Amino acid sequence: MSSTLAKYENFLVNNVSTISALESSLRSVTWFLPGRFKDAELASEALSALLNITSLYHDTLLARIVQSDPKWKPILPTPLHTRYTRAWSDKDAIYRMAARALELIGFTQLLIEMGMKRKFTHKNRWRGILVLETIKVILRFVLLRITRRPLLSPPIPERDIDPASLAPSIHSSPTLAPTTPSSSSPSTPDHLKNNRVPLHPSSVMLTLPPPGRSDTSVEDYLLPKALTTSSVRPSLQLVKPLMSVQDWVAEAVYILRPLIYVTMLSTGKHKDRALITAFALELMSRNLRRVPFPSASVERDEYARRDRDMAWYLLRGSIWESYTRPKIESMVESASTTPIVSIFGAIVKDWIPLINEYYYYTAI
């Protein structure tokens, strides 16, 4: 088994760019499968879950390869989210296990719901969803207990490695150990060999900007690339710990909110009340949470993502049934006579029944 895994890892390293392109292409195909044949949504979600899980494994493997090669230098600075989550993953094994388990559940929860819908009764299906949400809440509280900081989504590092930027020495290595460096010095690139010709100033360089207009193009280009306090701050300090009781309550309410919503939905009664309660808890968490400093970009990005996720309430409960769905169906109907646009309208039309049937298509 270990030899088979080693062969697969070697194959991945030598074909990393091709595999990355294949993953992206197959992930795009999953958007067009629903409605094409019987159980097409199950096939689409199974393919999507498989791609997400294999991508998670590939990301872990590529990160190990890059860390084992001291010569590899990223083309762009590592994103702050990746720095923060990778620091916690490297520091605490329990954090790494809980974060990966949480991501695996997120990748497979809709597929599990589809299987339960076909095998279980309606009541047992909701019991299964309740069990999944309970496990997710426990894992999130474990992460919160370890970090004592607001949770980020996703809690694991995202892929920040361009497969095309990996050095040929890494590609040729059959193991995860770095390749032995070559004793000969690297040759000079062709575009740098003839560098003794003086550069004569051109007319563009000598032309002054028009009167009353300042030339700020250089400043506009350099400002986004300037170092900030977050760029030099230790990775674990990119998000400040929760200090006050109000901060802890806000984060706890945000974590418990989906479990409370599913618990109320599983009874089969007062679905509107469940939606109102979940939305009220969302607003409560939003109003209680602290206001991050302008330099706390990681925390500000996380709160901005949470605010954007509130738009999912338009696809839930009575809001979806009485407001959003009629408008989408009307748009799809009007677009059915327009060339090209009708193709996208047909795709949206195939997805509408899935939003009606499955909880995890619009899960909080």
Side-chain angles (χ1 to χ4, degrees):
M1 180 65 182
S2 58
S3 61
T4 304
L5 187 60
K7 290 180 180 178
Y8 177 76
E9 292 179 353
N10 186 33
F11 173 79
L12 170 66
V13 170
N14 290 315
N15 301 274
V16 60
S17 298
T18 304
I19 293 177
S20 179
L22 182 61
E23 288 177 358
S24 179
S25 301
L26 290 176
R27 190 169 283 110
S28 301
V29 171
T30 60
W31 288 94
F32 299 91
L33 286 180
R36 298 295 172 266
F37 51 88
K38 184 180 179 181
D39 291 336
E41 70 277 6
L42 182 62
S44 173
E45 192 56 35
L47 178 60
S48 178
L50 179 62
L51 287 173
N52 287 330
I53 293 173
T54 54
S55 294
L56 179 62
Y57 171 70
H58 292 168
D59 292 347
T60 304
L61 177 61
L62 291 176
R64 282 193 295 168
I65 294 174
V66 167
Q67 290 176 358
S68 65
D69 190 344
K71 285 188 172 183
W72 189 86
K73 299 295 182 182
I75 298 176
L76 298 175
T78 304
L80 299 179
H81 174 277
T82 301
R83 280 181 51 199
Y84 175 78
T85 52
R86 181 169 293 160
W88 276 111
S89 298
D90 294 340
K91 178 183 178 182
D92 197 293
I94 298 179
Y95 177 96
R96 182 170 61 252
M97 294 173 58
R100 289 180 179 175
L102 189 61
E103 283 298 286
L104 287 175
I105 293 176
F107 294 154
T108 59
Q109 59 189 9
L110 180 54
L111 181 63
I112 294 174
E113 183 187 1
M114 289 179 175
M116 291 189 298
K117 186 177 185 297
R118 287 162 172 77
K119 297 295 182 180
F120 299 159
T121 63
H122 179 78
K123 186 175 182 180
N124 289 335
R125 169 194 167 193
W126 277 105
R127 286 178 178 174
I129 295 174
L130 187 60
V131 170
L132 286 177
E133 289 301 320
T134 303
I135 296 174
K136 288 164 64 177
V137 165
I138 293 174
L139 291 174
R140 288 187 176 117
F141 272 116
V142 169
L143 298 178
L144 182 64
R145 177 65 180 83
I146 294 173
T147 62
R148 307 181 70 85
R149 291 165 171 81
L151 300 185
L152 301 187
S153 181
I156 60 175
E158 296 178 297
R159 178 178 295 185
D160 62 326
I161 303 170
D162 181 9
S165 67
L166 294 177
S169 60
I170 297 180
H171 286 187
S172 61
S173 177
T175 64
L176 297 179
T179 305
T180 305
S182 176
S183 57
S184 60
S185 58
S187 59
T188 305
D190 293 337
H191 67 283
L192 294 179
K193 287 182 178 179
N194 185 14
N195 57 359
R196 295 186 177 84
V197 179
L199 176 64
H200 300 286
S202 64
S203 58
V204 177
M205 300 171 62
L206 298 177
T207 304
L208 296 176
R213 178 184 173 186
S214 59
D215 187 10
T216 60
S217 58
V218 176
E219 288 80 358
D220 294 340
Y221 175 79
L222 292 177
L223 279 177
K225 296 171 175 55
L227 286 177
T228 62
T229 55
S230 298
S231 302
V232 297
R233 188 177 297 166
S235 298
L236 295 179
Q237 300 303 320
L238 290 173
V239 179
K240 291 188 176 181
L242 300 172
M243 303 299 294
S244 65
V245 176
Q246 180 175 317
D247 296 341
W248 282 95
V249 171
E251 199 64 21
V253 169
Y254 181 80
I255 293 174
L256 289 171
R257 165 190 47 91
L259 180 59
I260 296 173
Y261 180 55
V262 169
T263 303
M264 298 181 70
L265 282 180
S266 62
T267 60
K269 301 177 181 179
H270 309 296
K271 293 185 178 180
D272 290 343
R273 186 180 299 177
L275 184 64
I276 294 173
T277 302
F279 189 69
L281 292 174
E282 187 92 48
L283 294 179
M284 177 181 175
S285 174
R286 188 181 188 279
N287 291 329
L288 288 178
R289 74 192 185 198
R290 65 191 180 191
V291 179
F293 293 104
S295 59
S297 57
V298 177
E299 190 172 352
R300 293 174 69 88
D301 290 343
E302 171 61 21
Y303 290 157
R305 183 200 62 79
R306 295 183 185 183
D307 292 342
R308 291 193 300 269
D309 284 349
M310 294 177 69
W312 286 103
Y313 283 95
L314 294 173
L315 303 180
R316 301 179 185 128
S318 58
I319 300 177
W320 162 253
E321 295 173 358
S322 61
Y323 177 77
T324 312
R325 186 175 65 183
K327 289 188 176 298
I328 293 178
E329 290 176 343
S330 176
M331 292 173 57
V332 170
E333 189 67 25
S334 61
S336 61
T337 58
T338 306
I340 300 177
V341 180
S342 60
I343 300 176
F344 297 97
I347 296 174
V348 174
K349 186 178 180 180
D350 293 332
W351 280 83
I352 291 178
L354 303 180
I355 298 176
N356 296 332
E357 295 179 16
Y358 298 104
Y359 167 76
Y360 278 115
Y361 265 114
T362 58
I364 300 178

